[in-house]
Amino acid sequence: MEELKKKTESKIYSLKQSIVKIKNAERESDVESLTAKRKIQEMTERCINFLKEREMELVKQVNQRCSANDDVMKIQLTQIEENLTNLKDGQDFIAAAFANWTEAEIVAIEDQMMGKLEELAEIETHKYTYPVSRTEFINEGLLELTDVIKDLGSVISEERVKMAISALGLGSRENTRAGVDALRTCAAPPSREA
C-alpha cells in the first residue's frame, strides 16, 4: 500500500508540474501573441506608409503635368485673345474710317490701311492652338503587388503544451481523465453498509 501511495504522490507531483508548465506556456503564448500582433500592425503601417508616399509622388506628377498644361493653355489663350483684339480693332477702325471720313482722307492713308489689312489677314489662328499633353494613370504592378501582399509574412508556432504533456507521459486528455477517474475509484473509502 505504501508503495502505491508513493506512486500516486509521484503522479500528483507530475500532474502539478504539468499544470505549472501549461500555465507558464499559456502566459508565454499570450505575450508572444501580443508581440506577433504588434509586429503585424507595424508591418502593415510601413506598407501603408509606402503606399501613401507613392500616392503622393503620383499625385505630384499629375499636378505638375496639369500645371504645365495650364501654362501652355494660358499662353495660347493670351495669344488668341490678342489676335482677336487686333482683328476687331482693325476692322472697327476701317469701318469707322469708311463711315466717317471723306474720300480724300481715306485715299491719303490707303496704303497704311492696306498694309494693316494685309497684316491682319496673315494672322493664322489655328497655329496658336497647340495640343496639351494628355494625363492618364495606368495601374502598373498592381497584380504583382497584390501577390506580394498575399505572401507577406507568416505565423509560426511551437506546440509547447503538447510537448509538455507528452514529456510527462500523458498521451491524451482521455488517458489523463481515465487515470484520474481510476485514482478516485481506488481512493474512495469503503462502503459502511458491508
Side-chain angles (χ1 to χ4, degrees), residues 64-169:
Q64 288 172 340
R65 302 249 171 130
C66 287
S67 179
N69 284 344
D70 285 347
D71 291 344
V72 169
M73 288 185 281
K74 284 177 185 172
I75 291 169
Q76 290 180 39
L77 185 60
T78 301
Q79 290 174 339
I80 291 170
E81 287 173 342
E82 285 175 4
N83 289 338
L84 179 61
T85 301
N86 288 339
L87 284 168
K88 281 181 159 183
D89 288 349
Q91 278 188 334
D92 290 346
F93 174 76
I94 291 170
F98 280 107
N100 299 320
W101 293 6
T102 64
E103 193 175 320
E105 290 173 324
I106 293 174
V107 170
I109 62 163
E110 183 177 359
D111 289 341
Q112 291 173 329
M113 287 176 70
M114 288 299 290
K116 186 64 174 172
L117 282 174
E118 286 174 2
E119 181 184 319
L120 294 174
E122 292 295 317
I123 292 176
E124 295 182 34
T125 56
H126 66 279
K127 78 175 187 180
Y128 293 106
T129 54
Y130 303 107
V132 293
S133 64
R134 294 182 55 174
T135 303
E136 295 182 38
F137 176 72
I138 300 169
N139 286 337
E140 291 180 332
L142 187 60
L143 182 61
E144 292 84 359
L145 178 62
T146 304
D147 290 342
V148 168
I149 289 172
K150 287 178 186 175
D151 294 333
L152 200 58
S154 59
V155 177
I156 58 172
S157 65
E158 293 180 32
E159 297 184 15
R160 287 195 186 113
V161 174
K162 193 183 228 181
M163 290 168 38
I165 288 174
S166 65
L168 293 168

Side-chain angles (χ1 to χ4, degrees), residues 162-192:
K162 193 183 228 181
M163 290 168 38
I165 288 174
S166 65
L168 293 168
L170 307 172
S172 68
R173 179 177 237 179
E174 291 80 22
N175 290 342
T176 304
R177 177 61 59 201
V180 170
D181 289 342
L183 280 174
R184 283 189 184 144
T185 305
C186 292
S191 166
R192 291 187 187 209

Side-chain angles (χ1 to χ4, degrees), residues 14-32:
S14 292
L15 290 173
K16 285 182 178 179
Q17 289 300 317
S18 293
I19 289 171
V20 168
K21 287 181 180 182
I22 289 171
K23 286 184 178 181
N24 286 341
E26 184 180 27
R27 280 191 294 276
E28 287 177 16
S29 176
D30 289 343
V31 169
E32 289 170 352

Side-chain angles (χ1 to χ4, degrees), residues 41-55:
Q41 288 173 336
E42 289 172 354
M43 178 194 67
T44 303
E45 287 173 11
R46 281 195 307 270
C47 291
I48 289 170
N49 287 339
F50 289 141
L51 285 173
K52 288 289 185 186
E53 286 175 15
R54 182 63 181 148
E55 176 190 23

